[in-house]
Amino acid sequence: MDFFTADICDEHPDKVYVLDGSFKNYGAKQKVQGTVLTVKLDRNNIELIKILRDEDGTGKIVVVDAEDEYFAVVGENLMKFAEKNNYEAIIVNGYVRDTEQIKDISVALFAKGTCPRKYIPMTQGERGIELSFGGVKFCEGDYIYADNDGIILTKEKII
């Protein structure tokens, strides 16, 4: 991938939105780009499991709003699903676990931090809705570029 987020910001300042710096990458992929899929979770990750396990993720980045609840919504099993189905990345407004096991899985995983527990009772999530966190509004079909300098969103692919 021949892009740098800093260069995109310099060349297209009126077209980029920059996610705040509170997200860290726990996956093996360091540079990604792709079309946004959105999902809002209510602590339990069943809706995210269905997406990562059952759908082709080629060229896609899943943006997950777990409302910064202190439960892990992505771990080793979901990262394996994401890798198997060719997802570029997962961005979580929340927490992840199994970081030792996922550090070599070839998918980027951006999150606020880690938490060893998950939420067991089943709750429903919502797909394809507008999400807002980290100073950015994410809509299904938007485009994301991410590297070691940060995560940026554009309303369409610009490079």
Side-chain angles (χ1 to χ4, degrees):
M1 283 182 216
D2 195 26
F3 72 86
F4 295 96
T5 56
D7 292 342
I8 296 170
C9 288
D10 291 350
E11 294 165 14
H12 305 278
D14 57 332
K15 294 182 179 180
V16 299
Y17 304 89
V18 180
L19 189 65
D20 74 31
S22 62
F23 292 81
K24 177 182 175 189
N25 187 1
Y26 295 92
K29 229 178 210 184
Q30 297 301 306
K31 185 181 273 196
V32 295
Q33 64 177 320
T35 305
V36 171
L37 296 177
T38 61
V39 62
K40 184 175 176 80
L41 300 179
D42 181 18
R43 296 179 298 274
N44 184 279
N45 64 2
I46 190 66
E47 194 65 37
L48 183 58
I49 290 170
K50 293 176 195 174
I51 293 168
L52 298 174
R53 181 191 63 204
D54 301 338
E55 298 178 22
D56 178 24
T58 304
K60 296 178 184 165
I61 295 176
V62 182
V63 178
V64 181
D65 190 359
E67 295 187 330
D68 205 11
E69 290 276 344
Y70 198 53
F71 294 95
V73 295
V74 177
E76 180 182 18
N77 291 334
L78 271 68
M79 285 292 284
K80 286 180 179 178
F81 291 147
E83 183 178 48
K84 179 178 177 247
N85 284 320
N86 303 308
Y87 283 89
E88 289 292 314
I90 306 166
I91 299 171
V92 180
N93 183 32
Y95 300 88
V96 298
R97 68 185 200 167
D98 302 329
T99 55
E100 270 304 305
Q101 296 92 323
I102 65 177
K103 69 182 179 189
D104 296 323
I105 294 176
S106 187
V107 175
L109 175 60
F110 298 94
K112 294 273 192 144
T114 62
C115 178
R117 70 179 170 163
K118 65 182 181 179
Y119 191 79
I120 302 297
M122 292 287 205
T123 58
Q124 279 303 111
E126 294 179 81
R127 278 189 75 168
I129 63 170
E130 181 180 286
L131 304 176
S132 183
F133 60 85
V136 174
K137 287 185 182 175
F138 300 88
C139 295
E140 194 112 341
D142 288 348
Y143 206 81
I144 288 177
Y145 300 88
D147 62 15
N148 290 330
D149 285 338
I151 301 167
I152 61 173
L153 177 121
T154 60
K155 291 301 175 185
E156 60 191 18
K157 185 176 181 177
I158 56 176
I159 62 162

